[in-house]
Amino acid sequence: MFKSRSEGNVVYKCTVRLLEDLDVLECEFQPHHKGSFLLDYVCEQLEITEKDYFGLRFVDSAKQRHWLDLAKTIIKQVKDVDPLVLSFRVKFYPADPLRLTNNGKLMLYQQLKRDLRHGRLYCSAGEAAALGALIVQDELGDFDAEAHTGEYVSSLKIALRQSEQLEKKAMELHQKREPGQEAVAVYDEFVGIARSLETYGIDPHPVKDHRGTQLYLGINFSGISTFAAGRRTQHFRWPEVHKINFEGKMFIIHLAYSEDRREVKKHTVGFKCPSGAACRYVWRCSIEQMLFFTLPTSQHASVVSGGGFFSWGTKFRYSGRTERELMSEALQALRQQKLNNTSPSKRKAQSVPATPSSPQGDLAEIRYSSLPRSTMSEPLGGCGDHMASSVYCTDNPLPMLETVSEEARKTNGESNDHLSDYYFRDSFDHSSSESGFTAANSANAIGEHHHRHGASSSGGHHPHLHHHHRQAYTTDNIPALAIHSVTNHAASIIQQQNASNSAKNAKKFSLVQAFVPSFVFVVVVLIVSAIYILETDSELFASMRNWPEMICLRYQYYQPLKEFLAKKFGAIF
């Protein structure tokens, strides 16, 4: 399956099953192609514009289903799948299915018809008969007394548990339908009935609750639901879902809701999946559904981490557009279509140039927008032409670093003229604070010596004192006493540095010594507390033992480890 980079012309073949069982599509892809390439190709062949609602699903060697990740390469996801067969399915059932157009609505109709046949679209007998009559209308057309005789519905597959009573009811409804109805009207009516059902857009995942009761978990545009015997028992809306996580086989939902606008209450619900891979699949489906139907844009999607402390972490980043983005684009396209469908006379009237006395707002806006970006507006933030290339020239100017003027540099240079080149070069061997401290003290020592020397030579002001300072730039002009004092001062600075470094090292070492015992102590306390909570029968910790994390810890790690140690020490003794 893996090829070298030089073999760039390698082509892989796969089979894509469409929504009708007998319809297949043969596809080809190369090793560098991502999942989006294959989905785009299938949607292009089927002439589907709303491709974001659809996806490709496959089954791995462990019989676990997966959705093809559009942002990852295909070959890395299906490397253990042989033969390579994918299924084209509706991945995100829209909240308003009537908004889909043309083949997108047809594909949704075929998907819902498939869900009804496989028992995923659970409904009452009357609703099943109404949906069955629409299927008969679509496949057989209007009722014809000469052609449709006997049990003509029995040749069609309507529902999973198809009975004679259901077939008779579907035939009665089919015979009562008005003739001449278009196929699009049949699709809309079918999708409208299916949208009103609780199991609309539900792909049931088998799970068990904390009592061991068999349930089915369903995820759609409204939230996460649990089903028992075809009835919805719980429903967690997306605004109430605070976090979704998993731990081993345990799928965990963290809820945050308020009752009667009071304080926010938090609750945690856990469900046990058949396997760890199935749990990760349910977690990923939940994350994708929640982000697709709740995020305003895909740019707001961040990397979502799953898995708890006792399992390998899983990271997922959502790729693709969200439903709100699709709705915004559809609305924009509708406005553009209305603009294009404007009558010629109105267009001609709009094409008349606007005079200063009667300006036309729309025309002015069009002309204004048609200008190049560099001339559309005045410089922002008061920026002139000389600031056109500055990155700080925005509506809200950012604080800029103040530059030092040439006069300020000269002033600073004159005030520091008494510093010699020797001390300036020596300051590079120290930190910023230490260099300033050394230079200042050295300058003071030299200044004090020259002051005393000048005072001893003459009692008044020395006319060449500034010249003596200029001569102090070389070490030859520095007396031995000044050099000796500077040497002593440098030695004291070095001693202070050594003392500070040793103090820092001592602090680091003491920090490590304090951290390790504390960490070990905390770990030991947590282990002892967990063992005590799991082993005790006290009612005080009854609610804590029923936490999904504690249940997962008990049955996946603590109990197997306990049995292993019992066998190990039992064999020794």
Side-chain angles (χ1 to χ4, degrees):
M1 298 292 290
F2 296 97
K3 304 295 181 182
S4 62
R5 292 185 179 179
S6 60
E7 298 176 343
N9 56 353
V10 176
V11 176
Y12 296 95
K13 294 184 179 181
C14 66
T15 302
V16 178
R17 293 177 180 173
L18 303 181
L19 292 167
E20 294 290 344
D21 293 330
L22 300 179
D23 296 340
V24 295
L25 189 63
E26 299 294 334
C27 304
E28 296 180 352
F29 63 92
Q30 293 183 346
H32 65 277
H33 284 152
K34 297 182 179 181
S36 58
F37 168 80
L38 200 56
L39 181 62
D40 292 343
Y41 176 77
V42 175
C43 291
E44 182 181 356
Q45 296 298 316
L46 299 177
E47 297 180 355
I48 299 175
T49 56
E50 300 96 343
K51 61 181 180 180
D52 298 88
Y53 291 100
F54 301 89
L56 296 172
R57 195 166 57 192
F58 65 93
V59 181
D60 62 11
S61 57
K63 306 302 180 183
Q64 175 60 48
R65 294 187 301 174
H66 300 276
W67 286 103
L68 190 68
D69 196 329
L70 303 181
K72 296 181 180 179
T73 56
I74 304 172
I75 197 64
K76 288 185 178 181
Q77 302 181 64
V78 299
K79 56 185 178 181
D80 60 341
V81 179
D82 190 24
L84 184 51
V85 179
L86 300 98
S87 300
F88 177 76
R89 298 289 183 263
V90 175
K91 187 176 183 180
F92 303 107
Y93 291 72
D96 184 10
L98 299 180
R99 191 173 57 249
L100 297 181
T101 59
N102 301 331
N103 285 351
K105 185 180 296 184
L106 173 61
M107 293 297 109
L108 179 61
Y109 163 73
Q110 292 181 357
Q111 178 68 70
L112 292 172
K113 184 171 62 173
R114 185 182 182 86
D115 294 343
L116 181 64
R117 290 173 176 175
H118 288 79
R120 290 187 292 268
L121 190 62
Y122 190 85
C123 55
S124 63
E127 293 166 337
L131 295 174
L134 292 170
I135 295 176
V136 175
Q137 176 70 28
D138 176 51
E139 298 191 7
L140 300 182
D142 297 333
F143 174 72
D144 188 353
E146 296 181 357
H148 301 150
T149 57
E151 306 293 334
Y152 63 93
V153 179
S154 59
S155 60
L156 301 177
K157 180 65 176 177
I158 297 177
L160 179 63
R161 296 178 178 87
Q162 188 168 330
S163 60
E164 294 182 1
Q165 184 178 1
L166 177 62
E167 293 177 358
K168 290 181 181 180
K169 185 65 175 176
M171 284 190 296
E172 292 177 3
L173 295 176
H174 177 241
Q175 294 171 7
K176 295 179 181 179
R177 296 189 63 85
E178 296 181 1
Q181 203 170 21
E182 295 182 357
V184 177
V186 175
Y187 300 157
D188 290 344
E189 188 175 353
F190 186 94
V191 170
I193 297 175
R195 168 63 177 80
S196 62
L197 301 176
E198 294 179 345
T199 53
Y200 168 75
I202 294 298
D203 186 12
H205 306 276
V207 295
K208 292 183 179 180
D209 61 4
H210 65 283
R211 299 185 184 89
T213 306
Q214 181 65 50
L215 300 173
Y216 289 93
L217 206 66
I219 310 152
N220 63 359
F221 69 93
S222 61
I224 304 175
S225 304
T226 58
F227 296 88
R231 301 291 180 180
R232 185 163 68 180
T233 56
Q234 289 177 308
H235 180 58
F236 311 113
R237 299 183 301 110
W238 290 129
E240 299 174 353
V241 177
H242 175 66
K243 182 182 177 182
I244 304 174
N245 202 357
F246 70 94
E247 177 67 51
K249 298 180 182 180
M250 190 67 64
F251 176 70
I252 305 169
I253 307 172
H254 300 269
L255 303 173
Y257 57 93
S258 59
E259 296 179 354
D260 300 332
R261 294 184 179 180
R262 297 177 182 176
E263 59 179 355
V264 178
K265 295 183 179 180
K266 294 184 178 181
H267 185 56
T268 305
V269 183
F271 302 96
K272 188 176 182 180
C273 300
S275 63
C279 188
R280 286 192 296 272
Y281 176 68
V282 175
W283 171 79
R284 177 159 180 165
C285 290
S286 303
I287 293 295
E288 286 185 304
Q289 294 281 336
M290 181 177 66
L291 297 180
F292 179 80
F293 289 108
T294 58
L295 284 183
T297 60
S298 57
Q299 296 178 354
H300 292 77
S302 58
V303 178
V304 183
S305 299
F309 182 77
F310 297 98
S311 64
W312 292 102
T314 302
K315 293 184 178 180
F316 168 74
R317 185 177 185 86
Y318 178 79
S319 60
R321 294 178 294 180
T322 63
E323 189 181 42
R324 294 188 186 181
E325 287 180 300
L326 298 177
M327 293 173 63
S328 300
E329 292 177 3
L331 183 60
Q332 185 177 2
L334 183 60
R335 291 176 178 174
Q336 186 66 27
Q337 184 179 3
K338 289 183 178 180
L339 183 63
N340 295 335
N341 293 336
T342 307
S343 60
S345 59
K346 190 174 182 180
R347 290 182 184 176
K348 185 175 182 180
Q350 289 180 347
S351 63
V352 178
T355 61
S357 59
S358 61
Q360 295 180 1
D362 296 338
L363 183 59
E365 181 68 22
I366 293 174
R367 289 180 176 177
Y368 183 78
S369 302
S370 63
L371 295 176
R373 180 60 183 169
S374 58
T375 60
M376 278 181 63
S377 60
E378 296 179 357
L380 299 176
C383 300
D385 296 336
H386 63 285
M387 292 292 291
S389 61
S390 176
V391 295
Y392 296 104
C393 187
T394 58
D395 289 331
N396 297 321
L398 298 176
M400 299 180 62
L401 296 176
E402 296 182 0
T403 57
V404 181
S405 62
E406 193 67 28
E407 291 77 5
R409 291 197 189 97
K410 291 180 180 180
T411 304
N412 294 335
E414 291 177 359
S415 62
N416 294 330
D417 278 344
H418 62 277
L419 295 178
S420 66
D421 291 341
Y422 172 77
Y423 303 117
F424 184 73
R425 287 195 299 268
D426 183 69
S427 66
F428 284 106
D429 298 334
H430 306 282
S431 64
S432 58
S433 59
E434 291 170 350
S435 63
F437 179 75
T438 306
N441 282 303
S442 302
N444 293 335
I446 297 173
E448 184 180 359
H449 168 72
H450 281 284
H451 179 71
R452 291 177 181 177
H453 183 71
S456 61
S457 61
S458 63
H461 177 72
H462 201 288
H464 301 289
L465 182 60
H466 184 72
H467 177 70
H468 286 300
H469 281 288
R470 292 293 183 182
Q471 290 179 350
Y473 280 83
T474 61
T475 57
D476 295 336
N477 297 328
I478 301 176
L481 180 60
I483 296 176
H484 180 70
S485 62
V486 172
T487 305
N488 293 336
H489 182 71
S492 63
I493 293 297
I494 294 174
Q495 290 179 358
Q496 291 179 3
Q497 278 189 322
N498 295 334
S500 62
N501 291 335
S502 60
K504 290 179 181 178
N505 294 333
K507 289 181 180 179
K508 291 181 180 179
F509 182 75
S510 62
L511 181 62
V512 172
Q513 281 185 334
F515 175 74
V516 173
S518 302
F519 178 76
V520 173
F521 175 75
V522 171
V523 171
V524 171
V525 170
L526 289 176
I527 293 175
V528 173
S529 301
I531 294 175
Y532 179 76
I533 293 172
L534 293 174
E535 291 294 340
T536 185
D537 295 333
S538 175
E539 295 294 334
L540 183 63
F541 303 102
S543 60
M544 190 178 297
R545 285 193 296 271
N546 292 329
W547 287 359
E549 292 85 352
M550 298 299 293
I551 295 174
C552 181
L553 175 64
R554 173 190 289 274
Y555 291 105
Q556 292 194 12
Y557 301 98
Y558 178 71
Q559 199 67 27
L561 181 61
K562 182 179 177 181
E563 295 175 358
F564 172 76
L565 294 177
K567 293 179 181 179
K568 196 73 174 177
F569 288 102
I572 294 176
F573 296 103

